[in-house]
Amino acid sequence: LAKTTQPISMDSYEGQEVNITCSHNNIATNDYITWYQQFPSQGPRFIIQGYKTKVTNEVASLFIPADRKSSTLSLPRVSLSDTAVYYCLVGLRGGSQGNLIFGKGTKLSVKP
Amino acid sequence: ETGVTQSPTHLIKTRGQQVTLRCSSQSGHNTVSWYQQALGQGPQFIFQYYREEENGRGNFPPRFSGLQFPNYSSELNVNALELDDSALYLCASSRGGTGNYGYTFGSGTRLTVV
């Protein structure tokens, strides 16, 4: 299973764009890249998923270069409520029999 | 549609005791997965149930066991509790056995073993 590396923490200010990069050098051909958001004492929440190039939804954008060895989650104009831990996951689209592999994630702190 | 609900929200147990955690899956979901999340760590996969059968298991000892019922709700049982079992236990549900339709997580049960 592909391992991911992402920064432990990031700081930002309200209204700024935040980009969190995740490295996954040994991503397999069938692997998807998925990002989850988690607030304290809550379960992770699906943000976005992609396979290649760019994916955008109402919450975020996901940029994946051609070699797929990294990906960047982009959060436009963050607010205080975006303070959370963000996890990058790489694997089969639905995990292998439910086995979503979470790392330690990136703790994003948004300041006023 | 209702989301994933877990009970209880908090629980304190003594080392050596047994505990049962419960999860009601989201409406329309037939697959349930359980995760353990220690403080400051990402969730770790325990096992998954699909149509009342375990169809995937992580690196957890046999004292972690589970059940899924005909209505797709689920239980996680932990025997002979150890101090290191203190964690947030998360339940996630999805449609189909592969999760390709996305997972919905509950808010978890905070278990403290003393």
Side-chain angles (χ1 to χ4, degrees):
Chain A
L1 295 166
K3 182 179 177 180
T4 61
T5 303
Q6 51 183 123
I8 296 296
S9 64
M10 292 182 69
D11 291 331
S12 183
Y13 291 93
E14 281 190 293
Q16 289 187 332
E17 177 184 77
V18 171
N19 296 308
I20 306 175
T21 297
C22 178
S23 297
H24 28 81
N25 291 319
N26 58 342
I27 188 170
T29 303
N30 295 333
D31 285 343
Y32 282 73
I33 300 155
T34 310
W35 286 80
Y36 280 81
Q37 174 194 55
Q38 186 177 26
F39 298 112
S41 297
Q42 291 189 27
R45 182 177 74 103
F46 173 90
I47 301 175
I48 198 166
Q49 183 181 70
Y51 184 79
K52 61 180 180 181
T53 63
K54 176 183 175 182
V55 180
T56 297
N57 61 22
E58 64 279 5
V59 177
S61 294
L62 178 59
F63 299 92
I64 306 168
D67 66 6
R68 304 201 325 124
K69 293 184 183 298
S70 67
S71 59
T72 299
L73 174 72
S74 182
L75 304 172
R77 300 176 60 80
V78 294
S79 64
L80 296 178
S81 63
D82 292 317
T83 294
V85 178
Y86 293 82
Y87 294 97
C88 166
L89 281 70
V90 173
L92 295 178
R93 188 173 184 182
S96 175
Q97 294 176 321
N99 189 0
L100 301 177
I101 308 295
F102 289 85
K104 292 188 176 183
T106 297
K107 186 174 183 180
L108 173 65
S109 298
V110 180
K111 302 174 183 178
Chain B
E1 61 182 14
T2 57
V4 175
T5 57
Q6 294 186 241
S7 62
T9 55
H10 295 82
L11 198 55
I12 300 175
K13 288 287 190 177
T14 302
R15 189 172 51 183
Q17 285 188 317
Q18 178 266 343
V19 68
T20 297
L21 310 181
R22 296 178 175 82
C23 172
S24 294
S25 60
Q26 180 170 312
S27 176
H29 286 186
N30 57 11
T31 303
V32 173
S33 305
W34 285 90
Y35 288 77
Q36 179 195 67
Q37 186 173 23
L39 204 60
Q41 305 294 317
Q44 301 297 306
F45 176 70
I46 303 175
F47 44 58
Q48 173 172 281
Y49 279 82
Y50 172 59
R51 293 183 175 177
E52 302 178 57
E53 297 285 335
E54 183 182 296
N55 75 336
R57 188 176 184 94
N59 189 26
F60 280 81
R63 58 189 187 84
F64 285 79
S65 63
L67 283 173
Q68 187 180 32
F69 300 99
N71 66 355
Y72 305 124
S73 66
S74 177
E75 285 183 356
L76 164 65
N77 298 290
V78 186
N79 294 322
L81 284 167
E82 301 176 358
L83 297 179
D84 286 347
D85 295 334
S86 295
L88 180 68
Y89 288 85
L90 296 162
C91 170
S93 73
S94 66
R95 269 197 305 136
T98 60
N100 281 350
Y101 300 100
Y103 288 89
T104 302
F105 282 82
S107 294
T109 294
R110 173 73 62 185
L111 172 65
T112 302
V113 182
V114 296

